[in-house]
Amino acid sequence: MRLVLLGPPGSGKGTQAKMVSEKMGIPQISTGDILREAVARGTELGRKARSYMDAGQLVPDDVMLGLMEKRIGEADCARGYILDGFPRTLAQALGLDEILSRRGEAIDLAILIEVGDDTVVKRLTRRRVCPACHALYNLDTDPPKDDNRCDRCGVELVLRSDDEETTVRTRLNVYR
Ligand code: ADP
């Protein structure tokens, strides 16, 4: 099963992808998570991506396509995968088609999750993430048990730098 999840930031792609991943036993490939980890580790990819991400802009298509071609070729993707956050542009979609046809594969299903802007802004500015294990919380709907600390690791939760309201509005415009 090769799935693509589409939808604005904050629409729940990551949450849904995680559930499907557990149920079907196929990996969730979140380009946002891959890029954030690269930034945290200071790799070459991270250095290329950082300024775009902090501004809420898209990382260039050639960088994304190179990254995804490599990731889709890894052993854990043999039985399928869920793409969360990719493709994001027409060039990425066409590039993905090319990568897949070279591999003799195709996407089985693409799902679009539709959510209004105000809901997105409310969800993301109240979202908190564990910098250690990437667990997500929401201060209104899914708060941590202990004041602002991850239930699993006890690490202090943070607001993603691109979840500030002005950056969220930029990301929504970029998405449209
Ligand atoms: P969101 O969808 O919530 O904006 P993501 O975690 O998917 O956040 O992505 C965070 C940032 O990583 C994006 O704002 C963008 O800079 C970069 N990014 C992620 N996926 C892509 C992609 N497919 N193409 C270009 N940039 C991407």
Side-chain angles (χ1 to χ4, degrees):
M1 174 70 79
R2 298 185 193 87
L3 271 182
V4 172
L5 290 182
L6 303 170
S11 58
K13 297 186 295 297
T15 304
Q16 300 301 326
K18 187 162 178 287
M19 290 195 283
V20 176
S21 165
E22 281 162 11
K23 196 164 176 151
M24 310 276 298
I26 51 177
Q28 164 190 7
I29 303 178
S30 159
T31 44
D33 282 348
I34 293 172
L35 292 170
R36 274 185 293 278
E37 203 185 308
V39 169
R41 287 175 27 215
T43 63
E44 196 194 332
L45 172 66
R47 282 197 300 278
K48 281 186 197 157
R50 178 169 205 157
S51 57
Y52 297 101
M53 294 175 73
D54 282 346
Q57 299 293 338
L58 293 179
V59 174
D61 291 330
D62 57 328
V63 175
M64 296 310 302
L65 284 165
L67 166 80
M68 290 307 286
E69 176 146 32
K70 215 170 122 207
R71 181 65 187 90
I72 285 172
E74 283 171 20
D76 64 332
C77 292
R79 290 182 49 245
Y81 42 77
I82 306 149
L83 301 185
D84 158 21
F86 177 93
R88 276 277 226 291
T89 64
L90 182 58
Q92 289 180 14
L94 295 172
L96 175 63
D97 277 346
E98 272 175 36
I99 292 170
L100 290 174
S101 72
R102 276 202 291 278
R103 302 178 54 81
E105 297 174 352
I107 294 297
D108 293 295
L109 198 66
I111 298 172
L112 173 64
I113 307 178
E114 292 182 285
V115 179
D117 287 7
D118 290 343
T119 306
V120 164
V121 170
K122 193 156 170 250
R123 281 186 189 174
L124 292 188
T125 53
R126 300 292 285 164
R127 174 160 85 172
R128 297 295 181 272
V129 58
C130 170
C133 75
H134 304 302
L136 293 173
Y137 297 86
N138 184 290
L139 298 182
D140 302 317
T141 56
D142 186 17
K145 288 196 195 78
D146 197 16
D147 196 35
N148 213 37
R149 294 201 167 267
C150 179
D151 292 350
R152 269 190 267 168
C153 349
V155 173
E156 187 157 0
L157 303 176
V158 296
L159 175 72
R160 253 170 62 179
S161 57
D162 60 353
D163 279 347
E164 309 273 357
E165 176 157 358
T166 45
T167 312
V168 169
R169 299 264 177 208
T170 305
R171 283 159 63 200
L172 279 169
N173 288 333
V174 171
Y175 169 75
R176 303 255 175 260

